[in-house]
Amino acid sequence: MDKEALKELLNDMSLEEKVMQLVQIPGSEYDSDAEITGIERGQAKDRVKRLAGSTLGIWGSRRLRKIQEEYMKEHPHHIPLMFMLDVIHGHKTVLPCPLGQGATFDPDAVRKGAALQAMEAAADGVHATFSPMADLCRDARWGRIMESTGEDKLLNSFMAAAMVEGYQGGDLKDPAHIDACVKHFAAYGAAEGGRDYNNTELSEHTLREYYLRAYGEAIKKDPAMVMTSFNSINGIPATGSTFLMKKILREEFGFKGVLISDWGAVGELINHGYAKDQKDAALKGMTAGVDIDMCSGCYSGYLEELVKEGAVSHEMLDEAVLRVLNMKNDLGLFEDPFRGLDKESAPVITKEGRLLAREAVAGSLVLLENKEKVLPLKNEKNAFIGPFADTKRLQSSWAFSGEDDNTVSVWEAALEVYGAENIRTAAGCTMFDQDAVTARGIRHLDNWQEENERLLREALETAEWADTVVLCIGEDSTQSGEATSKVSLQLPAVQLKLINEIKKTGKRIVTLIFTGRPLELKEVRELSDALMICWLPGTEGGHGVLDVISGKTSPSGRLPVSFPYTVGQEPLHYDAYPTGRPKPEKGPFEYTSRYLDCENGALYPFGYGLSYTSFEYYDAKLSAEELSANEAITASVRVRNSGNTKGSVTVQLYIRDVTGSRVRPVRELAGFKKISMDPGAEETVSFEIKEEMLRFWTAEEKWESEAGKFLVWICDSSVGGKPLEFSLR
Ligand code: BGC
């Protein structure tokens, strides 16, 4: 439909119809007669169902076709209903959780993964996904760290932008693509104490320099939607913040698409103590610029009244409605309301999709320890022990439509590689401690004690038989994701007991950690001969893991977040500000910024990860000692694969602005390149440094660079390398 026709349509719509384009209701309402969530008593349910502009959480062409047919018949202007879904890291083929995708340091792979998700979701009738989550996360207690790509603004920016490109492709009318929604605007990841939905307190410069960056970069890729966040920022709930939504999002970032609230967030303005009732919440949401009210019932209940009273202008309403109509039009829904709803198009997991997922898994695994080169596994007697050894539950939360049945477990993949006669498996213990609390409530097993005694006996027998134990432990998928904040980053005690008992057998231990968040691994590090983070790897988890531990592929993932010694260090991130009393490398330490009982830095820092081969960095240099505006200097280093196998290395560039009108971080990632190298191969890896990369939110509240000295590291982690120096004129 052309723009003029769209405006005519808008002009022809009744006030009620317009308001209802701004209303989203749960998809389950189209299947059941249950009360609609958040809808005030007295609102006619039929009217809401008949006219709501969009729905979420349902998929499947047959089901959606039926809903669309009935809806279109009833709708006065036959405006199609839009179907949205949280396709976060896979629809049918489930990729590693976003934190694992961050660990690939490979935006191209992430873009391809997003395109695969879009293709599968589109073929199941989905029009839009609520992804990417561009929230910066510095706190492992926050369960949603699993949904982020980590703690670094640059890495997150690349990944969020790649996801938008992958989902949306070049043309949204292409039926293989869907709308992206950048979320959660803003700073949801900074929740106080890591407690989900909590308040955030952030100075404007920390907000702008760190927390807002990845949303901003993703928005440059023109996502169809942005979602507000649940938290308040400096006392104002994000969903009601005109500063965030109007000044930053619309004016500064130039966002032209649809702003949708998070689930119920307009209504939650009341709980925050920011709105007095649903009507007031609707007014505050509209005033802040929230176009679609997801499931709170405030717009459906009160927006019409607010417009009639003049509290919300017709102009404001029309602008919001037009944005929604445009979004539908960009997808070609007016021409084809049944886009993606043919039975034939139902998505199936393809060989190509599996291959892509398998490579994503292999690229996401982070090898932290490999003492005596115990990995890759020798072709001898290997026992796969632990609650993650023989389970198909390798998807993280938010993989609604992915099915465990399609997942390849570690054990299944091990059988393919080694054959049944050479390997054994045992669960070793339960996944959970007794009475563990998860996102789904308390897991209680009546015979937990006896069951664990039995499992341990069995595991010890299996370990006695083996030369090497591959211990598959970690956090279940219900322990990270939404509403899964924790004050402990320890593995379940029952799993720690298992590794301690196996250690007593004297067998070599290769520990694989499955997790959606950083965990405390000090004890496990000491007990293990090799240690690798496998995240929650998804459908091809088993294959990807076996590709790496068998040596078919060398591990190449890097930590996208710091792994602490202890939870007491959280929030922990490498790009901290210097203090007036930094802890010196050697004593005396007394009156310096440190803990009495722990190191300051991470047990495993951001950017860290090993390979089966070794890489030497030498001849690091800068092409000039001075830089001025409109020029660039080149930072380069020679890299050599000095080991015996092929491997990938992620060369990282960090910069420090030594003196500024505002304190600058001790290091900031300024670039990275992942390259694959044959044994003996050498290469020059170079990065351009330009003045614009050195800009920051100055004391004068401007994005500017300041003349002075800068340090540069070209290295293999956020704590590696020796600095070079240049000055900005
Ligand atoms: C989450 C969002 C999600 C939405 C819709 C909310 O609870 O915070 O990330 O997109 O639900 O499912």
Side-chain angles (χ1 to χ4, degrees), residues 24 56 85-86 88 130 133 144 147 183-184 188 197 227 230 262-263 294 398 400 482:
Q24 179 163 101
L56 82 163
L85 182 68
D86 290 276
I88 305 298
F130 298 125
M133 179 174 117
R144 298 197 83 167
E147 297 172 54
K183 70 187 188 184
H184 305 84
Y188 185 32
Y197 315 118
M227 185 188 289
F230 286 128
D262 202 344
W263 181 296
M294 185 197 289
W398 296 115
F400 292 139
E482 189 172 345

Side-chain angles (χ1 to χ4, degrees), residues 155-226:
L155 182 64
N156 288 356
S157 297
F158 273 107
M159 296 310 192
M163 286 185 198
V164 174
E165 288 175 336
Y167 292 131
Q168 296 199 163
D171 176 11
L172 277 166
K173 290 206 168 59
D174 174 348
H177 288 283
I178 58 176
D179 284 344
C181 174
V182 175
K183 70 187 188 184
H184 305 84
F185 200 73
Y188 185 32
E192 201 174 285
R195 205 161 71 243
D196 209 358
Y197 315 118
N198 208 356
N199 181 40
T200 61
E201 285 292 323
L202 292 169
S203 66
E204 191 172 331
H205 81 272
T206 301
L207 179 69
R208 285 180 177 277
E209 285 205 14
Y210 297 95
Y211 287 88
L212 294 183
R213 289 285 278 275
Y215 310 112
E217 291 305 313
I219 287 163
K220 287 187 187 156
K221 303 294 174 195
D222 219 4
M225 281 187 291
V226 166

Side-chain angles (χ1 to χ4, degrees), residues 23 61 72 86 165 265 367 371 495 587 613 660 670 684 709-710:
V23 171
S61 25
M72 295 280 294
D86 290 276
E165 288 175 336
L367 183 65
K371 302 173 196 166
Q495 297 190 21
T613 186
T684 300
K709 189 165 112 183
F710 290 80

Side-chain angles (χ1 to χ4, degrees), residues 564-586:
Y565 284 87
T566 161
V567 68
Q569 295 175 286
E570 297 290 335
L572 181 65
H573 55 105
Y574 80 94
D575 50 351
Y577 295 125
T579 67
R581 295 200 179 180
K583 182 177 172 238
E585 293 210 342
K586 292 195 188 115

